[in-house]
Amino acid sequence: MLGKARKVSGRGEAVAANYAFGPAEDDIIIKHRLLTRTTTTRGEPPLKKLQKKFTSFVSEVDKQEDNYNDCEKLARAFLQELATFEIPLLKSKAIVEANIREKENFNELKDEINRQILQAQADIEDLKKQLEESKIERQHKEECEAIRKLIALQPPRSETQKLITELEKEIMALDAENTAGSRLLELRKKQFALLLHVVDELQNTIEEEQKNLIEEMRMATEELKNGMEDASGGSEAMAVD
């Protein structure tokens, strides 16, 4: 059990070591394996085996001996090895062509996805505009609804018209009353002016009469005084006689 665990741990360490290469080292190893047709680290590479078969065949042909059978065997072995080596190449070619097609399909899919992304972005912008327009329209509807409610709270048009007619009548009555009041005020102004004029005339007359009365009293006083003087003078004359 411990031995197996050690083997497993050793394989795990080997796997971890294989994945310890960087991207550049991995590319070099993969390229080398594709060129040499080496798919595993164990055994002899197929290309080297083919090279050995070809070298053996050429060496046998170069011999100046009657070795036709050996050359034929080596030729068949070389052709068999060549066919064996060609099969993975054909597979690799098919894989490469499939990868190229897959890449083209991927590029087409990528272009389609990019086109869909652009279309989705354009649709999002359109939806944003529609959302803003919907918000504005909803706001207008709410404002219209509020106005409608205010209008509904108001009395009917007939009642409003009746009230307007009554107010117009009251205004006309007030205008007539105002006109009458203005006329009465103007008349009162004229009467008051006439009263003031009469009062002035009366005051002037009274003052004139007072002056005349004072003058008459002064003249009467002087006449009385003169009469008394004349009477006293006569008495003195009679006493002298």
Side-chain angles (χ1 to χ4, degrees):
M1 292 292 289
L2 292 175
K4 290 183 180 180
R6 289 176 182 175
K7 289 182 180 179
V8 171
S9 62
R11 290 179 63 185
E13 291 176 358
V15 172
N18 288 334
Y19 283 97
F21 295 110
E25 289 81 0
D26 288 340
D27 291 340
I28 294 172
I29 293 171
I30 292 171
K31 184 176 181 180
H32 176 72
R33 288 183 178 180
L34 289 173
L35 290 175
T36 59
R37 304 307 303 164
T38 302
T39 57
T40 179
T41 56
R42 298 178 182 179
E44 192 174 13
L47 184 60
K48 193 170 183 179
K49 290 170 66 177
L50 181 64
Q51 182 182 2
K52 285 182 179 181
K53 295 288 184 180
F54 181 73
T55 302
S56 300
F57 172 67
V58 172
S59 298
E60 193 67 29
V61 170
D62 288 340
K63 291 179 181 180
Q64 300 296 328
E65 297 178 0
D66 189 7
N67 55 356
Y68 178 77
N69 291 330
D70 294 335
C71 290
E72 185 177 1
K73 288 180 182 180
L74 291 174
R76 284 198 300 268
F78 171 71
L79 292 176
Q80 184 178 359
E81 189 66 27
L82 182 63
T84 304
F85 185 78
E86 188 179 9
I87 291 172
L89 291 178
L90 294 174
K91 289 181 179 180
S92 298
K93 183 180 179 182
I95 292 171
V96 170
E97 291 177 352
N99 289 334
I100 292 172
R101 290 192 300 270
E102 188 68 21
K103 184 179 179 181
E104 291 176 353
N105 293 332
F106 175 77
N107 290 331
E108 292 177 358
L109 181 61
K110 182 180 178 181
D111 294 337
E112 179 65 21
I113 292 173
N114 291 331
R115 187 187 66 78
Q116 292 180 359
I117 290 172
L118 294 175
Q119 184 64 35
Q121 291 176 349
D123 294 339
I124 290 171
E125 293 297 326
D126 292 337
L127 291 174
K128 285 181 179 179
K129 292 180 180 178
Q130 292 179 7
L131 181 61
E132 292 297 327
E133 292 176 356
S134 298
K135 287 181 179 179
I136 295 172
E137 184 178 359
R138 182 177 179 181
Q139 184 179 359
H140 290 169
K141 287 182 179 179
E142 291 177 353
E143 292 175 354
C144 292
E145 183 65 20
I147 294 171
R148 188 189 66 78
K149 289 181 180 179
L150 290 175
I151 293 172
L153 294 175
Q154 301 301 320
R157 184 179 179 86
S158 58
E159 294 182 3
T160 305
Q161 188 64 35
K162 182 179 179 181
L163 181 61
I164 291 171
T165 303
E166 292 177 355
L167 290 174
E168 288 178 350
K169 290 179 180 179
E170 290 180 3
I171 291 170
M172 291 175 66
L174 291 174
D175 287 339
E177 186 177 352
N178 187 23
T179 303
S182 298
R183 291 177 180 177
L184 182 60
L185 179 62
E186 188 67 25
L187 179 61
R188 292 291 185 265
K189 286 181 179 180
K190 291 179 179 180
Q191 290 177 350
F192 185 71
L194 180 60
L195 180 61
L196 290 176
H197 180 69
V198 171
V199 170
D200 288 337
E201 291 292 331
L202 183 60
Q203 187 175 2
N204 292 330
T205 302
I206 292 171
E207 288 178 355
E208 186 68 26
E209 289 180 354
Q210 287 178 353
K211 288 180 181 180
N212 293 331
L213 183 59
I214 291 170
E215 184 66 24
E216 289 178 357
M217 289 177 68
R218 187 183 63 82
M219 291 176 66
T221 302
E222 288 180 356
E223 289 178 358
L224 182 60
K225 184 178 180 182
N226 291 330
M228 291 177 67
E229 288 179 355
D230 291 337
S232 62
S235 297
E236 290 177 359
M238 288 178 67
V240 171
D241 289 340

